[in-house]
């Protein structure tokens, strides 16, 4: 069947290259199709015979033949998937190796074939300084160097004089045990000089026949030897390569001149040309680009398919009346920034359309995302609908409640809080009010939409600080009969390339302007918190608040980190026990609320905390953020913490206190924080430093894993893949055309286990 597909593809390629000539003189192509006598498609054979016998086939019939050819090739692709074969079926892979490889997610033959080398060894002279030498072993001995290090030195005689092999790590049996006087050896390794003699450092023993060979090097567990694994890879290629499918439509392979998946795998695992090794290692070779493109193509196809499914769903149509906007404007004590006005226009455009809004609003800390969302909510209320505001924590839900109550004070708009800490009787009464339609805004955590509340007329769901509003939440809304417009917010600035990958199913708005009157935060680094005490005292005298953040609650024996509980005691002695509070995640909600209220009121001026205050806490008079063990925090987290100060026109400070010995990467993060205030710039630096896989700390749920691609490196391929996916869906929104059969089948298989958008979208 694999060979049949190759014939179909070649024939299809020839017809497409012929262009208009095919329609003028199709006979030779029709003869080729008839000769196939394929059992795969009687339709194709019948069309070819009919066209041949007619003597002058019409364009429609010839077009059908091309379509049927493409469809058959693609059907074979889908059916040809490699059946799962355990890795222990391969030679040399025993029980221990199988267990080790499993931890690295290499469990099947398919995993072996798609686990690519990260570099290659060319057995011969190379630019890296490695070379091979052949000679007769003369003598060997343990030698003590000037620095009193013991090494093993072996001397050989070659065609161009003597040379040495040097081992800094050796044993009683190796290499002395394998070297025989008068025997000829070929050694390969890093070239150097030792005691004035040309030398190979820690060489490998090679056969002369192996000279010029290219050996792939894989990322493997320590217990699995490279040679053993490479033998297994070759066995997998020999036995199973023919079962590997092509998941890309032939027309896309042709467009980018990609090799087939089988040919690409051979070029990656068994390269022949040493001059292509650098391109293969750096994933610039067409064989590597083929799999990078395929991965990104199906990612974008899935996201865009899902996005179009949302757009086709009937959402709530809101009337955006000028009188509503004028009424809201009168409630505000400030004017919107240009960026806020632009984003609201985008939101209102969605709300007034027939499709369901699915929009993400990005904005740096303090950019005013929440007021934009509340404005959209007030428009929904004026249209007679209810609004759900969902926050990730109860602390943030309560803060949203306080801010909303200030905004709607003096109006007839109503709001309730529905969280885990609301008592049973009160919760029951609140849910009854919501179900009866007597409440406009319902604020809480995700439980609000998943189980706790039935709405009378839910029109808008505002989701705050959730990296993704997942399939389960959407499913819960649909099962309850709701189809509200959905507005997501995040204060994690995301570079555009990453947003395309993680949020490609959403429309994205960016608030890239801070409100006027904000004084830039002065960010510096220190080695000792005691050097920050004078600044803290000075700000406390002005009546300002100080945060001191630690990564742990209690001291850890394993980690040399300062703990919040220990440092709270120390700071209490320094600034007075009544003036220093301790906040952490293990405290009961009532304790947290009392402490935050005391800090907001200025009754305590130093708040020692873990990262529980990272997102959303708003205390305008807080002007100092001290972060201990700053090297332990990621860039995004540091920027979020810094955003807790600088929320007024007062000069604010962020002090990053790092340990004496920190890694180069940690120093780079701290230096970036001191140099840049722009969250989007920091997010780009963060993405470059950590790569897309770790950008959010954990891999995003609901998305296929990146196996081959790196969207920092592969941004151009990502853009091509998205453009191609968009073109295909514009032409065939349900992927119902025969030419897109393979795309739909692969798409369902790739996404089904993680994101059941077919059933929901």
């Amino acid at each position: 069947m694999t060979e049949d597909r190759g014939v179909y593809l070649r024939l299809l390629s020839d017809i497409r290259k012929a262009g208009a000539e095919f329609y003028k003189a199709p006979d030779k192509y029709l003869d080729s199709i008839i000769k196939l006598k394929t059992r795969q498609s009687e339709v194709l054979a019948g069309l070819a015979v009919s066209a041949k016998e007619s003597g002058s086939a019409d364009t429609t019939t010839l077009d059908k033949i091309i379509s049927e050819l493409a469809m058959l090739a693609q059907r074979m692709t889908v059916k040809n998937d490699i059946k799962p074969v355990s890795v222990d079926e391969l030679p040399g892979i025993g029980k221990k190796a199988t267990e080790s490889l499993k931890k690295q997610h290499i469990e099947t033959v398919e995993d072996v074939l798609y686990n690519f080398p990260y570099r290659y060894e060319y057995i011969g002279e190379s630019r890296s300084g490695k070379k091979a030498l052949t000679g007769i072993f003369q003598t060997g001995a343990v030698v003590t160097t000037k620095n009193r290090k013991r090494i093993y030195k072996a001397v050989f005689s070659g065609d161009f004089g003597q040379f040495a092999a040097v081992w800094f790590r050796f044993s009683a049996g190796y290499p002395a045990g394998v070297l025989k006087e008068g025997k000829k050896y070929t050694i390969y390794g890093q070239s150097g000089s030792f005691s004035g003699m040309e030398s190979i450092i820690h060489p490998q023993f090679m056969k002369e026949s192996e000279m010029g060979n290219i050996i792939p090097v894989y990322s493997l567990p320590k217990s699995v030897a490279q040679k053993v694994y490479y033998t297994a890879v070759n066995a997998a290629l020999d036995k199973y390569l023919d079962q590997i499918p092509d998941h890309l439509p032939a027309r896309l392979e042709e467009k980018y001149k990609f090799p087939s998946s089988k040919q690409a795998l051979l070029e990656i695992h068994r390269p022949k040309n040493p001059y292509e090794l650098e391109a293969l290692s750096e994933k610039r070779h067409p064989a590597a680009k083929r799999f990078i493109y395929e991965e990104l193509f199906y990612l974008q196809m899935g996201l865009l398919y899902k996005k179009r499914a949302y757009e086709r769903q009937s959402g709530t149509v809101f009337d955006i009346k000028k009188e509503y906007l004028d009424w809201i404007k009168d409630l505000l004590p400030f004017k919107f920034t240009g960026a806020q006005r632009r984003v609201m226009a985008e939101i209102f455009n969605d709300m007034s359309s027939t499709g369901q809004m699915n929009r993400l609003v990005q904005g740096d800390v303090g950019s005013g995302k929440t007021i934009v969302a509340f404005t959209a909510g007030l428009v929904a209320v004026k249209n007679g609908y209810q609004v759900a505001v969902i926050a990730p924590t109860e602390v943030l839900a309560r803060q949203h409640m306080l801010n909303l109550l200030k905004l709607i004070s003096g109006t007839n708009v109503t709001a309730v809080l529905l969280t885990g800490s609301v008592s049973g009787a009160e919760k029951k009464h609140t849910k009854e009010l919501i179900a009866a339609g007597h409440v406009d805004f319902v604020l809480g955590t995700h439980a609000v939409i998943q189980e706790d509340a039935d709405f009378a007329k839910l029109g808008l769901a505002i989701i705050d600080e959730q990296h993704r509003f997942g399939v389960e939440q959407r499913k819960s809304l649909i099962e309850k009969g709701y189809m509200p417009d959905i507005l997501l917010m995040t204060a994690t600035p995301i570079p555009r390339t990453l947003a395309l990958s993680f949020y490609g199913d959403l429309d994205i708005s960016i608030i890239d302007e801070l409100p006027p009157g904000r004084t830039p935060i002065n960010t510096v680094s220190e080695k000792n918190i005691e050097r920050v005490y004078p600044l803290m005292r000075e700000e406390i005298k002005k009546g300002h608040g100080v945060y001191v953040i630690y990564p742990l609650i209690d001291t850890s024996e394993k980690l040399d980190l300062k703990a919040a509980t220990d440092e709270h005691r120390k700071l209490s002695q320094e600034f007075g026990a009544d003036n220093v509070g301790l906040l952490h995640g293990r405290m009961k909600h009532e304790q947290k609320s009392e402490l935050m209220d005391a800090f907001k009121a200025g009754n305590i001026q130093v708040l020692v905390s873990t990262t529980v205050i990272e997102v959303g806490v708003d205390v305008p008079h807080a002007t100092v953020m001290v972060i201990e063990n700053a090297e332990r925090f990621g860039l995004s987290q540091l920027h979020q913490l810094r955003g807790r100060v600088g929320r007024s026109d007062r000069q604010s400070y962020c002090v990053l206190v790092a340990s004496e010995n920190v890694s180069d990467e940690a120093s780079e993060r701290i230096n970036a924080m001191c140099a840049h205030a722009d969250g989007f710039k920091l997010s780009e630096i963060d993405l470059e430093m950590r790569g897309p896989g770790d950008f959010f700390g954990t891999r995003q749920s609901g998305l296929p894993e990146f196996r081959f691609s790196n969207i920092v490196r592969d941004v151009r391929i990502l853009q091509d893949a998205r453009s191609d996916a968009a073109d295909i869906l514009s032409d065939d929104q349900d992927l119902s055309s025969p030419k897109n059969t393979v795309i739909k089948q692969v798409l369902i298989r790739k996404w089904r286990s993680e994101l059941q958008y077919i059933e929901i979208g």
Side-chain angles (χ1 to χ4, degrees):
M1 191 178 284
T2 301
E3 290 175 3
D4 286 345
R5 180 179 184 273
V7 172
Y8 284 119
L9 282 175
R10 282 193 293 276
L11 196 49
L12 191 61
S13 179
D14 289 344
I15 289 171
R16 284 176 173 158
K17 283 178 185 173
E21 285 301 312
F22 169 66
Y23 294 94
K24 291 177 184 176
D27 280 7
K28 71 172 183 177
Y29 302 101
L30 297 175
D31 287 339
S32 297
I33 293 170
I34 294 166
K35 282 178 186 175
L36 289 173
K37 294 180 181 176
T38 177
R39 289 177 296 172
Q40 302 300 322
S41 175
E42 294 177 3
V43 174
L44 179 61
L47 284 169
V49 170
S50 174
K52 175 81 173 169
E53 289 177 352
S54 72
S56 57
D58 58 77
T59 304
T60 304
T61 302
L62 295 175
D63 282 342
K64 282 182 181 177
I65 288 171
I66 295 173
S67 178
E68 189 70 19
L69 267 173
M71 184 176 67
L72 278 173
Q74 292 164 1
R75 276 182 184 165
M76 289 177 186
T77 296
V78 175
K79 289 178 182 175
N80 256 356
D81 272 336
I82 187 169
K83 293 186 175 77
V85 178
S86 176
V87 71
D88 60 11
E89 296 287 318
L90 298 173
I93 307 297
K95 186 177 179 181
K96 186 178 178 182
T98 300
E99 289 173 358
S100 298
L101 289 169
K102 186 176 181 180
K103 291 175 183 174
Q104 206 161 302
H105 307 295
I106 302 172
E107 300 181 56
T108 66
V109 167
E110 186 178 18
D111 294 333
V112 168
L113 291 176
Y114 286 111
N115 177 41
F116 296 162
Y118 69 92
R119 66 181 179 87
Y120 298 85
E121 288 273 3
Y122 173 61
I123 310 305
E125 291 195 29
S126 67
R127 281 179 286 183
S128 63
K130 290 189 174 183
K131 67 190 305 185
L133 294 172
T134 300
I136 296 169
F137 174 58
Q138 293 185 324
T139 182
V142 177
V143 178
T144 303
T145 68
K146 293 177 184 177
N147 298 327
R148 298 186 179 180
K149 288 186 177 179
R150 297 173 79 246
I151 66 164
Y152 186 87
K153 177 183 177 183
V155 177
F156 298 81
S157 177
D159 292 343
F160 300 100
Q162 289 188 326
F163 61 89
V166 177
W167 285 265
F168 293 95
R169 295 182 299 280
F170 59 92
S171 65
Y174 187 85
V178 300
L179 290 167
K180 308 293 180 189
E181 281 188 35
K183 188 176 177 181
K184 193 175 186 180
Y185 294 91
T186 296
I187 59 174
Y188 172 74
Q190 192 68 39
S191 175
S193 177
F194 187 81
S195 300
M197 183 180 290
E198 183 178 13
S199 303
I200 303 291
I201 314 299
H202 273 283
Q204 293 174 261
F205 292 103
M206 312 296 299
K207 296 175 185 175
E208 279 195 77
S209 61
E210 291 178 311
M211 296 306 298
N213 282 3
I214 295 168
I215 300 173
V217 181
Y218 299 86
S219 176
L220 298 171
K222 288 182 181 178
S223 59
V224 181
Q226 289 286 339
K227 279 194 174 182
V228 170
Y229 185 78
Y230 186 46
T231 301
V233 171
N234 278 306
L237 288 169
D238 292 338
K239 190 172 181 180
Y240 298 102
L241 185 64
D242 280 348
Q243 296 179 36
I244 291 294
D246 267 325
H247 285 153
L248 277 182
R251 62 188 186 277
L252 289 176
E253 282 185 356
E254 289 176 29
K255 178 179 179 179
Y256 294 104
K257 301 294 184 283
F258 287 143
S260 68
S261 57
K262 287 183 283 296
Q263 184 58 40
L265 287 171
L266 283 173
E267 290 183 37
I268 287 167
H269 291 292
R270 292 176 178 169
K272 297 281 193 292
N273 188 344
Y275 295 103
E276 293 183 347
L277 298 184
E278 189 175 321
L280 279 167
S281 298
E282 295 176 1
K283 306 293 187 291
R284 292 183 285 104
H285 192 279
K289 283 186 173 182
R290 186 228 187 283
F291 293 110
I292 292 167
Y293 174 88
E294 181 182 312
E295 181 169 76
L296 293 175
F297 172 77
Y298 280 106
L299 172 70
Q300 293 304 316
M301 182 61 76
L303 290 168
L304 287 170
Y305 190 100
K306 186 165 168 259
K307 185 173 186 288
R308 280 160 171 72
Y310 294 158
E311 289 167 353
R312 293 199 299 273
Q313 288 171 343
S314 296
T316 307
V317 180
F318 295 97
D319 191 357
I320 315 296
K321 290 184 178 178
K322 185 177 183 299
E323 65 187 77
Y324 298 163
L325 302 182
D326 290 340
W327 172 75
I328 294 169
K329 197 182 294 182
D330 290 340
L331 299 177
L332 299 171
F334 53 80
K335 288 184 178 180
F336 286 119
T337 64
Q340 286 174 313
R341 287 196 299 273
R342 184 187 69 243
V343 169
M344 281 192 295
E346 292 167 350
I347 292 169
F348 293 152
N349 187 52
D350 288 352
M351 290 176 71
S352 61
S353 70
T354 55
Q356 185 192 38
M357 174 169 73
N358 284 272
R359 183 168 291 278
L360 171 72
V361 177
Q362 285 191 69
D364 215 338
V365 284
S367 62
K369 297 178 300 300
T370 306
I371 193 63
V372 166
F374 284 169
T375 300
L378 288 168
V379 168
V381 169
K382 280 292 189 180
N383 275 263
Y385 287 91
Q386 292 170 296
V387 179
V389 182
I390 314 301
T393 65
E394 195 163 323
V395 170
L396 192 50
R398 286 182 176 273
Q399 181 164 296
H400 281 327
M401 184 68 172
L402 290 173
N403 289 335
L404 180 61
L405 289 175
K406 286 179 193 172
L407 181 64
I408 61 177
S409 175
T411 72
N412 60 357
V413 178
T414 55
V416 294
L417 189 68
L418 192 60
T419 66
S421 64
V422 176
S423 66
E426 186 183 349
K427 183 179 284 188
K428 183 173 181 291
H429 177 62
T430 299
K431 287 197 284 184
E432 288 171 355
L433 290 174
I434 297 167
H438 298 319
V439 174
D440 298 315
F441 280 88
V442 181
L443 296 90
T445 53
H446 261 81
V448 167
I449 54 172
Q450 284 182 301
E451 56 190 58
D452 276 345
D454 285 316
F455 291 81
K457 199 177 181 184
L458 180 63
L460 176 66
I462 297 169
I463 320 292
D464 190 15
E465 284 305 338
Q466 290 295 307
H467 287 321
R468 288 199 67 80
F469 179 60
V471 70
E472 289 303 321
Q473 289 83 17
R474 195 178 297 278
K475 191 174 181 182
S476 176
L477 287 173
I478 293 170
E479 285 172 352
K480 288 187 174 188
Y482 309 135
M483 194 61 72
D485 279 3
I486 294 171
L487 184 64
L488 299 101
M489 299 189 293
T490 179
T492 303
I494 306 160
R496 177 164 171 73
T497 52
L498 198 62
L500 277 178
S501 296
F502 285 97
Y503 297 114
D505 54 330
L506 305 173
D507 293 303
I508 299 175
S509 293
I510 298 174
I511 303 178
D512 51 6
E513 181 183 354
L514 291 177
R518 295 286 178 93
T519 304
I521 301 167
N522 185 6
T523 304
V524 297
S525 63
E526 284 288 356
K527 296 294 183 187
N528 192 321
I529 191 173
E530 292 177 7
R531 296 178 64 173
V532 191
Y533 287 171
L535 172 65
M536 293 167 67
R537 285 196 185 91
E538 188 178 328
E539 291 301 299
I540 288 169
K541 281 180 187 174
K542 295 176 183 175
H544 298 165
V546 176
Y547 293 104
V548 184
I549 306 299
Y550 294 90
L552 296 176
I553 299 171
D554 301 309
T555 304
S556 166
E557 292 180 6
K558 294 181 180 179
L559 295 172
D560 183 23
L561 304 176
K562 293 181 179 178
T565 48
D566 291 344
E567 294 304 306
H568 172 250
R569 285 191 287 271
K570 182 178 172 184
L571 290 168
S572 294
Q573 292 171 358
E574 191 70 31
F575 296 98
D578 293 339
N579 206 26
V580 182
L582 174 64
L583 179 72
H584 58 76
R586 291 184 197 166
M587 294 168 65
K588 291 181 180 177
H589 175 73
E590 294 76 14
Q591 293 174 296
K592 288 182 192 173
S593 293
E594 285 177 18
L595 195 58
M596 282 308 304
D597 288 344
F599 186 56
K600 285 179 181 178
N603 296 331
I604 60 171
Q605 287 183 278
V606 180
L607 184 63
V608 179
S609 177
T610 56
T611 54
V612 72
I613 59 91
E614 177 185 345
V615 172
V617 174
D618 188 10
V619 182
H621 73 265
T623 58
V624 180
M625 168 62 69
V626 182
I627 305 172
E628 279 270 33
N629 296 117
E631 73 278 5
R632 302 292 301 184
F633 296 89
L635 255 183
S636 175
Q637 202 172 26
L638 288 172
H639 184 61
Q640 289 286 341
L641 288 167
R642 176 168 62 182
R644 297 311 104 216
V645 296
R647 304 181 78 83
S648 68
D649 57 357
R650 303 175 180 92
Q651 177 62 59
S652 293
Y653 306 88
C654 178
V655 185
L656 308 173
V657 182
S659 306
E660 285 289 338
N661 299 311
V662 299
S663 67
D664 290 343
E665 189 178 323
S667 293
E668 195 176 337
R669 284 197 301 271
I670 290 167
N671 291 338
M673 280 290 294
C674 294
H676 302 285
D678 180 0
F680 284 93
K681 177 64 180 174
L682 287 171
S683 74
E684 288 173 7
I685 295 170
D686 198 15
L687 182 58
E688 287 172 9
M689 287 176 66
R690 290 195 289 159
D694 294 325
F695 184 81
F696 288 112
T698 57
R699 191 175 67 82
Q700 287 295 287
S701 62
L703 287 172
E705 214 167 339
F706 290 117
R707 196 174 191 174
F708 312 113
S709 56
N710 178 316
I711 56 176
V712 179
R713 178 194 66 212
D714 303 322
V715 59
R716 183 65 183 272
I717 299 176
L718 172 71
Q719 290 165 344
D720 287 341
R722 188 171 179 85
S723 176
D724 291 336
D727 288 345
I728 289 167
L729 287 171
S730 295
D731 181 56
D732 180 16
Q733 63 179 6
D734 295 316
L735 298 176
S736 55
S737 169
K739 67 180 180 180
N740 292 323
T741 300
V742 67
I743 295 175
K744 187 156 190 175
Q745 292 191 21
V746 174
L747 191 62
I748 292 171
R749 184 169 60 253
K750 279 182 177 289
W751 284 71
R752 180 181 284 154
S753 63
E754 294 183 290
L755 194 60
Q756 298 163 355
Y757 70 94
I758 294 294
E759 289 79 12
I760 290 166

